[in-house]
Structure formats: C-alpha cells, structure tokens
Amino acid sequence: MMIFSRTFCPALPLISALSLLFLPLSSWSHHGWGGYNSDIDTSLVVTELRLGGSHDQLTAIDEQGNEWDLVLAPPTRNRRLGFNETTLSVGDQIDLIGRLHPSKPEIKVHCIYMSAEVLYTYYDYDGTTSLSKHSNRTQC
C-alpha cells in the first residue's frame, strides 16, 4: 500500500501568480514591430532558409561578413502570396528594406528585391504592408 504525502509549498501560489503575469509578456514580446526601432536598406547574401514555424526566417551575411537573422511574415500568409522555398536560394544576393532589432543582429523584413524585382513584401493580417505602417514609404 502506497501512502502519498501532501505537503504545502508556501511559495507555490506566488510562483503561479508570477507565471501567469509573465506568460502574456513573453507572447507579446515575440509579435509586433514596436521594439524594432530603426530602418535599414542593405544588400545581403542568403546563407540559410528556415521556412515554417511561427515566422519564415532567413540567415544572411553582409559585405563585412556580419550574420543577420531575417524575420518574415508567418508561413501561411507568405505561401498564400507566393513566397515559398523556390523564391530564394542559398547564395542569392538580395537587397532589402527592414527594421533593426535594438540589441541583436535581427531585421524584420519589409521588402526583398533581387535584380531590382520585388520578391517579397511583408503583408499584415489586414492586407496592408508593414512598410506603409512603419515607415514613410507606402509600398516596396
């Protein structure tokens, strides 16, 4: 016969309350453009494609050899608009317009160009472009 002991941990209610408080903050910090505070218009070379998950992502390097994480819109939205695994390849030279993360080498991408052709535009859920909302330009 097993006997289970029920002991009360006095810190458990406090830990639970703090967890509930910070859970929304972790989800909020992932979304939105608020923390990305300066514009960038640059040329990069694609080194990795990670399509899927909560957002499509690319890794690319600039002319100085710095590596950048590029965050795109969610995969379902991108696929609906034609951006997929055949749009770009590792080694492609791209130009982009985006917003810089303040503390890490990450760019939320507004537009991607290759040979002056627009290959990608970040469209928000309401059909407007991120560029029109977060810069003084209206389209890529």
Side-chain angles (χ1 to χ4, degrees), residues 9-92:
C9 174
L12 189 58
L14 178 61
I15 293 169
S16 297
L18 288 174
S19 296
L20 290 174
L21 263 174
F22 289 109
L23 183 63
L25 289 177
S26 65
S27 128
W28 176 80
S29 66
H30 171 76
H31 291 89
W33 291 76
Y36 296 78
N37 55 11
S38 60
D39 294 326
I40 185 169
D41 191 337
T42 190
S43 295
L44 303 166
V45 174
V46 176
T47 59
E48 183 181 0
L49 290 89
R50 294 183 309 280
L51 305 182
S54 61
H55 286 268
D56 284 341
Q57 296 186 327
L58 309 173
T59 303
I61 55 171
D62 61 22
E63 293 173 352
Q64 292 76 36
N66 299 313
E67 188 174 84
W68 294 92
D69 288 322
L70 309 178
V71 180
L72 287 70
T76 54
R77 192 176 316 152
N78 288 338
R79 299 312 165 270
R80 189 175 66 244
L81 297 169
F83 183 86
N84 59 44
E85 63 278 347
T86 64
T87 305
L88 289 172
S89 300
V90 170
D92 283 347

Side-chain angles (χ1 to χ4, degrees), residues 3-9:
I3 300 176
F4 293 98
S5 169
R6 287 189 169 182
T7 58
F8 179 72
C9 174

